[in-house]
Amino acid sequence: MRKGVRKVLWGLLYVVLFIVVFALSAVMKLTQDPLGGKYSVKWNDSVGTVHTDLVYGEKEANKFDLYLPADDSKENYGLVVYLHPGGFTSGDKSGDAEMLQWLCSKGYVAAGINYTLFNEENPTASVYSQSVEIRDSIPSVIAEAEKLGYKIGKMAIGGGSAGHALAMIYAYRDAAQAPVPVVLTFGGVGPASFYQEDWGVFGLDQSDEACAGLFSVMAGTEITPAEVADGSYLEKVKPISAADWVTADSPATVVAYGTHDKMQPFLASLPLKAALEEHGVDYKYFEFPHSGHGLQNDTKIYAQWMDTVEEYLNTYLPVK
């Protein structure tokens, strides 16, 4: 088989792998916690109001929902953005309504943001293009909140799975461009680094062709097997590798990962932990020893993780 044909076939194979395997993470809903509704609220006008499908860009998916607390008397508000899961291929901001309502009930302006999904209708979408859409959406979110009478002073950004990956990319790579200080990022099971040897759950550690195929789709740029072999691919995946952007100025961080994750390889979370430690970032890293992508088998640790998210919100984004 000619080299060029073989390369195309590998690329197609791992595009399919990306869609099928990563799409399975759509069932992972961090907003549906096993803690008996502790992080939910009965939503009504006494809690807040929601403005849906506000536009931030020209693409069809460039819309966001904005949750505004009923108390509109404060001089400044904290903004908390929460990005939806779905393996970069599915999902919608509406699926995070429970989390966003809870955040709003605490006194925050909360926002769920859609981004262009990688699918048959949008085959050129990638983790990188999605991260750019999120970056470009934040000024519109803040401007809309302020137009409605809620001046934003600081912000936090979090999410689940794919949304967590995009939240971390924004917090570490793009925070310097934010209209207000980014003081916290939080979430669970989002891919944070792309080292070939860590992605054995997809067999990428055994095949340069496989690694080039999948990482090309995710990075939105062509990566060749030769670049994987000589290590130069790392520069091409850096724009989507949140761990590579951590510095001493990065925001406080609360993250959770399951050691048995077959969708986002657990080993890919360890460079993030090392980077946070190296740069002295205030962080909490929760390891779920009996859980996979859904963090479903370690209820006590789940409770500790969510309690810590709330603690860090109270510390870094206090409602005054």
Side-chain angles (χ1 to χ4, degrees):
M1 184 181 295
R2 289 181 302 166
K3 183 177 179 182
V5 174
R6 186 170 63 249
K7 180 178 175 183
V8 170
L9 289 177
W10 272 113
L12 290 174
L13 173 63
Y14 279 88
V15 166
V16 172
L17 176 68
F18 179 84
I19 294 173
V20 174
V21 178
F22 273 80
L24 292 174
S25 68
V27 304
M28 185 276 195
K29 296 290 187 180
L30 288 176
T31 55
Q32 295 177 0
D33 67 85
L35 305 180
K38 181 177 179 180
Y39 295 98
S40 63
V41 64
K42 186 175 181 180
W43 182 254
N44 54 52
D45 290 345
S46 69
V47 178
T49 57
V50 58
H51 298 255
T52 60
D53 291 332
L54 301 169
V55 175
Y56 70 83
E58 296 180 356
K59 297 180 179 179
E60 183 178 354
N62 292 168
K63 297 176 182 179
F64 64 96
D65 294 346
L66 196 62
Y67 293 73
L68 303 173
D71 181 358
D72 61 357
S73 64
K74 294 180 172 54
E75 184 176 344
N76 285 284
Y77 290 81
L79 168 68
V80 184
V81 172
Y82 194 84
L83 303 176
H84 71 77
F88 307 105
T89 66
S90 62
D92 185 85
K93 55 187 170 48
S94 62
D96 294 321
E98 186 174 278
M99 171 66 83
L100 294 163
Q101 291 167 0
W102 174 74
L103 289 164
C104 185
S105 75
K106 287 179 59 65
Y108 299 117
V109 171
I113 304 172
N114 276 357
Y115 44 89
T116 302
L117 302 170
F118 174 77
N119 52 35
E120 291 182 357
E121 295 178 359
N122 301 291
T124 62
S126 64
V127 178
Y128 178 71
S129 67
Q130 292 166 354
S131 74
V132 171
E133 289 181 25
I134 295 301
R135 180 195 68 196
D136 294 347
S137 74
I138 301 300
S140 295
V141 172
I142 292 175
E144 185 67 26
E146 297 191 344
K147 185 176 78 173
L148 294 169
Y150 294 77
K151 182 174 176 56
I152 304 299
K154 300 178 182 179
M155 67 171 286
I157 186 166
S161 191
H164 182 215
L166 296 171
M168 290 189 292
I169 293 169
Y170 184 82
Y172 304 141
R173 190 192 72 191
D174 298 329
Q177 302 177 48
V180 298
V182 181
V183 296
L184 174 66
T185 185
F186 63 94
V189 300
S193 64
F194 296 89
Y195 293 97
Q196 179 187 19
E197 60 270 24
D198 294 338
W199 284 71
V201 294
F202 296 136
L204 304 194
D205 59 333
Q206 301 297 316
S207 170
D208 293 346
E209 288 82 3
C211 186
L214 183 56
F215 285 4
S216 292
V217 174
M218 299 182 81
T221 188
E222 182 182 11
I223 297 171
T224 67
E227 289 171 324
V228 174
D230 66 21
S232 59
Y233 77 100
L234 291 172
E235 278 303 307
K236 290 189 173 181
V237 296
K238 181 177 178 179
I240 61 170
S241 300
D244 289 347
W245 297 92
V246 174
T247 71
D249 296 323
S250 293
T253 299
V254 182
V255 296
Y257 289 94
T259 63
H260 297 281
D261 200 329
K262 303 301 183 185
M263 297 179 188
Q264 189 291 135
F266 172 70
L267 292 178
S269 72
L270 299 181
L272 172 64
K273 182 180 180 183
L276 294 168
E277 184 72 29
E278 176 186 355
H279 292 285
V281 177
D282 182 5
Y283 80 97
K284 297 293 183 184
Y285 175 99
F286 289 90
E287 186 174 306
F288 287 57
H290 307 102
S291 296
H293 200 65
L295 304 177
Q296 69 275 28
N297 298 324
D298 296 280
T299 302
K300 289 184 179 180
I301 299 174
Y302 196 108
Q304 293 170 2
W305 167 49
M306 288 300 297
D307 287 347
T308 302
V309 169
E310 185 171 19
E311 173 191 335
Y312 270 58
L313 283 169
N314 292 337
T315 299
Y316 286 95
L317 209 63
V319 176
K320 300 178 180 179

mmCIF file of all heavy atoms in Angstrom, residues 168 171-173 175 182-185 242-243 245-253 275-276 279-282 316:
data_model
loop_
_atom_site.group_PDB
_atom_site.id
_atom_site.type_symbol
_atom_site.label_atom_id
_atom_site.label_comp_id
_atom_site.label_asym_id
_atom_site.label_seq_id
_atom_site.Cartn_x
_atom_site.Cartn_y
_atom_site.Cartn_z
ATOM 1 N N MET A 168 -9.624 24.631 31.421
ATOM 2 C CA MET A 168 -8.221 24.730 31.816
ATOM 3 C C MET A 168 -7.386 25.455 30.768
ATOM 4 O O MET A 168 -6.502 26.247 31.107
ATOM 5 C CB MET A 168 -7.648 23.338 32.082
ATOM 6 C CG MET A 168 -8.186 22.674 33.327
ATOM 7 S SD MET A 168 -7.300 21.141 33.743
ATOM 8 C CE MET A 168 -7.797 20.074 32.370
ATOM 9 N N ALA A 171 -8.037 29.042 31.327
ATOM 10 C CA ALA A 171 -7.479 29.539 32.586
ATOM 11 C C ALA A 171 -5.969 29.675 32.539
ATOM 12 O O ALA A 171 -5.401 30.617 33.114
ATOM 13 C CB ALA A 171 -7.884 28.604 33.723
ATOM 14 N N TYR A 172 -5.295 28.750 31.871
ATOM 15 C CA TYR A 172 -3.829 28.763 31.857
ATOM 16 C C TYR A 172 -3.246 29.447 30.628
ATOM 17 O O TYR A 172 -2.240 30.149 30.724
ATOM 18 C CB TYR A 172 -3.291 27.330 31.927
ATOM 19 C CG TYR A 172 -3.773 26.533 33.109
ATOM 20 C CD1 TYR A 172 -4.090 25.185 32.977
ATOM 21 C CD2 TYR A 172 -3.931 27.104 34.371
ATOM 22 C CE1 TYR A 172 -4.534 24.423 34.055
ATOM 23 C CE2 TYR A 172 -4.387 26.363 35.453
ATOM 24 C CZ TYR A 172 -4.684 25.021 35.286
ATOM 25 O OH TYR A 172 -5.132 24.287 36.348
ATOM 26 N N ARG A 173 -3.888 29.268 29.462
ATOM 27 C CA ARG A 173 -3.330 29.832 28.224
ATOM 28 C C ARG A 173 -3.826 31.235 27.933
ATOM 29 O O ARG A 173 -3.074 32.091 27.435
ATOM 30 C CB ARG A 173 -3.694 28.913 27.043
ATOM 31 C CG ARG A 173 -2.986 29.219 25.736
ATOM 32 C CD ARG A 173 -3.623 28.466 24.569
ATOM 33 N NE ARG A 173 -4.935 29.028 24.219
ATOM 34 C CZ ARG A 173 -5.794 28.457 23.389
ATOM 35 N NH1 ARG A 173 -5.511 27.287 22.834
ATOM 36 N NH2 ARG A 173 -6.953 29.044 23.116
ATOM 37 N N ALA A 175 -5.887 33.397 30.085
ATOM 38 C CA ALA A 175 -6.371 34.259 31.169
ATOM 39 C C ALA A 175 -5.829 35.677 31.078
ATOM 40 O O ALA A 175 -6.502 36.637 31.484
ATOM 41 C CB ALA A 175 -6.020 33.651 32.519
ATOM 42 N N VAL A 182 -8.924 36.140 36.197
ATOM 43 C CA VAL A 182 -9.377 34.749 36.339
ATOM 44 C C VAL A 182 -8.703 34.196 37.585
ATOM 45 O O VAL A 182 -7.485 34.041 37.621
ATOM 46 C CB VAL A 182 -9.006 33.907 35.108
ATOM 47 C CG1 VAL A 182 -9.515 32.473 35.272
ATOM 48 C CG2 VAL A 182 -9.558 34.537 33.832
ATOM 49 N N VAL A 183 -9.489 33.889 38.609
ATOM 50 C CA VAL A 183 -8.912 33.553 39.910
ATOM 51 C C VAL A 183 -9.016 32.073 40.269
ATOM 52 O O VAL A 183 -8.386 31.616 41.222
ATOM 53 C CB VAL A 183 -9.564 34.401 41.024
ATOM 54 C CG1 VAL A 183 -9.254 35.878 40.811
ATOM 55 C CG2 VAL A 183 -11.078 34.163 41.089
ATOM 56 N N LEU A 184 -9.811 31.302 39.491
ATOM 57 C CA LEU A 184 -10.019 29.902 39.837
ATOM 58 C C LEU A 184 -10.450 29.120 38.604
ATOM 59 O O LEU A 184 -11.216 29.616 37.781
ATOM 60 C CB LEU A 184 -11.108 29.780 40.912
ATOM 61 C CG LEU A 184 -11.575 28.374 41.304
ATOM 62 C CD1 LEU A 184 -10.467 27.591 41.987
ATOM 63 C CD2 LEU A 184 -12.812 28.444 42.218
ATOM 64 N N THR A 185 -9.947 27.881 38.508
ATOM 65 C CA THR A 185 -10.478 26.929 37.537
ATOM 66 C C THR A 185 -10.742 25.611 38.252
ATOM 67 O O THR A 185 -10.003 25.237 39.162
ATOM 68 C CB THR A 185 -9.525 26.735 36.342
ATOM 69 O OG1 THR A 185 -10.150 25.877 35.379
ATOM 70 C CG2 THR A 185 -8.191 26.144 36.744
ATOM 71 N N ALA A 242 -3.216 21.993 28.290
ATOM 72 C CA ALA A 242 -3.336 22.953 29.388
ATOM 73 C C ALA A 242 -2.136 22.919 30.317
ATOM 74 O O ALA A 242 -1.665 23.970 30.781
ATOM 75 C CB ALA A 242 -4.617 22.672 30.173
ATOM 76 N N ALA A 243 -1.616 21.740 30.609
ATOM 77 C CA ALA A 243 -0.505 21.619 31.554
ATOM 78 C C ALA A 243 0.726 22.391 31.100
ATOM 79 O O ALA A 243 1.518 22.858 31.938
ATOM 80 C CB ALA A 243 -0.149 20.148 31.757
ATOM 81 N N TRP A 245 0.858 25.253 29.869
ATOM 82 C CA TRP A 245 0.694 26.701 30.019
ATOM 83 C C TRP A 245 0.659 27.143 31.484
ATOM 84 O O TRP A 245 0.480 28.331 31.771
ATOM 85 C CB TRP A 245 -0.583 27.149 29.310
ATOM 86 C CG TRP A 245 -0.524 26.909 27.838
ATOM 87 C CD1 TRP A 245 -0.951 25.807 27.158
ATOM 88 C CD2 TRP A 245 0.019 27.793 26.847
ATOM 89 N NE1 TRP A 245 -0.721 25.935 25.810
ATOM 90 C CE2 TRP A 245 -0.121 27.143 25.593
ATOM 91 C CE3 TRP A 245 0.614 29.058 26.894
ATOM 92 C CZ2 TRP A 245 0.308 27.729 24.398
ATOM 93 C CZ3 TRP A 245 1.036 29.637 25.711
ATOM 94 C CH2 TRP A 245 0.886 28.978 24.486
ATOM 95 N N VAL A 246 0.819 26.217 32.396
ATOM 96 C CA VAL A 246 0.799 26.560 33.820
ATOM 97 C C VAL A 246 2.046 27.369 34.175
ATOM 98 O O VAL A 246 3.161 27.011 33.792
ATOM 99 C CB VAL A 246 0.726 25.292 34.688
ATOM 100 C CG1 VAL A 246 0.849 25.641 36.172
ATOM 101 C CG2 VAL A 246 -0.580 24.545 34.426
ATOM 102 N N THR A 247 1.831 28.458 34.900
ATOM 103 C CA THR A 247 2.929 29.288 35.394
ATOM 104 C C THR A 247 2.653 29.648 36.847
ATOM 105 O O THR A 247 1.613 29.291 37.405
ATOM 106 C CB THR A 247 3.067 30.588 34.583
ATOM 107 O OG1 THR A 247 1.950 31.453 34.886
ATOM 108 C CG2 THR A 247 3.114 30.325 33.084
ATOM 109 N N ALA A 248 3.571 30.391 37.438
ATOM 110 C CA ALA A 248 3.381 30.829 38.816
ATOM 111 C C ALA A 248 2.195 31.770 38.957
ATOM 112 O O ALA A 248 1.676 31.963 40.066
ATOM 113 C CB ALA A 248 4.651 31.510 39.319
ATOM 114 N N ASP A 249 1.755 32.355 37.847
ATOM 115 C CA ASP A 249 0.621 33.283 37.880
ATOM 116 C C ASP A 249 -0.704 32.611 37.559
ATOM 117 O O ASP A 249 -1.736 33.288 37.481
ATOM 118 C CB ASP A 249 0.859 34.420 36.875
ATOM 119 C CG ASP A 249 2.064 35.265 37.238
ATOM 120 O OD1 ASP A 249 2.295 35.488 38.443
ATOM 121 O OD2 ASP A 249 2.793 35.679 36.309
ATOM 122 N N SER A 250 -0.706 31.306 37.372
ATOM 123 C CA SER A 250 -1.941 30.602 37.034
ATOM 124 C C SER A 250 -2.930 30.636 38.189
ATOM 125 O O SER A 250 -2.532 30.696 39.357
ATOM 126 C CB SER A 250 -1.637 29.150 36.658
ATOM 127 O OG SER A 250 -0.906 29.084 35.457
ATOM 128 N N PRO A 251 -4.221 30.586 37.890
ATOM 129 C CA PRO A 251 -5.237 30.666 38.949
ATOM 130 C C PRO A 251 -5.268 29.405 39.801
ATOM 131 O O PRO A 251 -4.813 28.327 39.388
ATOM 132 C CB PRO A 251 -6.546 30.831 38.174
ATOM 133 C CG PRO A 251 -6.269 30.250 36.835
ATOM 134 C CD PRO A 251 -4.830 30.535 36.548
ATOM 135 N N ALA A 252 -5.821 29.541 40.986
ATOM 136 C CA ALA A 252 -6.042 28.390 41.859
ATOM 137 C C ALA A 252 -6.840 27.328 41.105
ATOM 138 O O ALA A 252 -7.636 27.645 40.217
ATOM 139 C CB ALA A 252 -6.780 28.825 43.116
ATOM 140 N N THR A 253 -6.616 26.068 41.480
ATOM 141 C CA THR A 253 -7.137 24.955 40.682
ATOM 142 C C THR A 253 -7.664 23.841 41.578
ATOM 143 O O THR A 253 -7.011 23.463 42.555
ATOM 144 C CB THR A 253 -6.009 24.394 39.786
ATOM 145 O OG1 THR A 253 -5.549 25.420 38.901
ATOM 146 C CG2 THR A 253 -6.505 23.207 38.980
ATOM 147 N N ALA A 275 2.976 20.136 37.033
ATOM 148 C CA ALA A 275 3.144 21.548 36.673
ATOM 149 C C ALA A 275 2.600 22.469 37.759
ATOM 150 O O ALA A 275 3.211 23.496 38.091
ATOM 151 C CB ALA A 275 2.456 21.833 35.343
ATOM 152 N N LEU A 276 1.457 22.118 38.314
ATOM 153 C CA LEU A 276 0.874 22.926 39.388
ATOM 154 C C LEU A 276 1.794 22.936 40.602
ATOM 155 O O LEU A 276 1.995 23.979 41.251
ATOM 156 C CB LEU A 276 -0.502 22.387 39.757
ATOM 157 C CG LEU A 276 -1.587 22.504 38.680
ATOM 158 C CD1 LEU A 276 -2.808 21.674 39.052
ATOM 159 C CD2 LEU A 276 -1.979 23.967 38.464
ATOM 160 N N HIS A 279 5.123 25.045 39.915
ATOM 161 C CA HIS A 279 4.983 26.499 39.849
ATOM 162 C C HIS A 279 4.323 27.097 41.094
ATOM 163 O O HIS A 279 4.077 28.309 41.131
ATOM 164 C CB HIS A 279 4.206 26.883 38.600
ATOM 165 C CG HIS A 279 4.951 26.603 37.328
ATOM 166 N ND1 HIS A 279 6.004 27.377 36.892
ATOM 167 C CD2 HIS A 279 4.821 25.605 36.404
ATOM 168 C CE1 HIS A 279 6.475 26.900 35.751
ATOM 169 N NE2 HIS A 279 5.775 25.820 35.436
ATOM 170 N N GLY A 280 4.056 26.285 42.081
ATOM 171 C CA GLY A 280 3.533 26.808 43.340
ATOM 172 C C GLY A 280 2.114 27.315 43.270
ATOM 173 O O GLY A 280 1.727 28.192 44.053
ATOM 174 N N VAL A 281 1.314 26.767 42.370
ATOM 175 C CA VAL A 281 -0.093 27.164 42.266
ATOM 176 C C VAL A 281 -0.863 26.550 43.435
ATOM 177 O O VAL A 281 -0.603 25.415 43.839
ATOM 178 C CB VAL A 281 -0.693 26.686 40.925
ATOM 179 C CG1 VAL A 281 -2.178 27.017 40.838
ATOM 180 C CG2 VAL A 281 0.073 27.300 39.760
ATOM 181 N N ASP A 282 -1.807 27.295 43.978
ATOM 182 C CA ASP A 282 -2.684 26.748 45.021
ATOM 183 C C ASP A 282 -3.648 25.785 44.341
ATOM 184 O O ASP A 282 -4.527 26.195 43.584
ATOM 185 C CB ASP A 282 -3.453 27.873 45.713
ATOM 186 C CG ASP A 282 -4.341 27.366 46.841
ATOM 187 O OD1 ASP A 282 -4.291 26.163 47.161
ATOM 188 O OD2 ASP A 282 -5.100 28.184 47.389
ATOM 189 N N TYR A 316 -11.728 32.443 46.722
ATOM 190 C CA TYR A 316 -11.191 33.234 45.622
ATOM 191 C C TYR A 316 -12.230 34.093 44.919
ATOM 192 O O TYR A 316 -11.870 35.028 44.193
ATOM 193 C CB TYR A 316 -10.509 32.297 44.603
ATOM 194 C CG TYR A 316 -9.191 31.788 45.108
ATOM 195 C CD1 TYR A 316 -9.107 30.553 45.748
ATOM 196 C CD2 TYR A 316 -8.040 32.549 45.013
ATOM 197 C CE1 TYR A 316 -7.893 30.070 46.239
ATOM 198 C CE2 TYR A 316 -6.825 32.094 45.486
ATOM 199 C CZ TYR A 316 -6.758 30.861 46.111
ATOM 200 O OH TYR A 316 -5.560 30.402 46.601
#
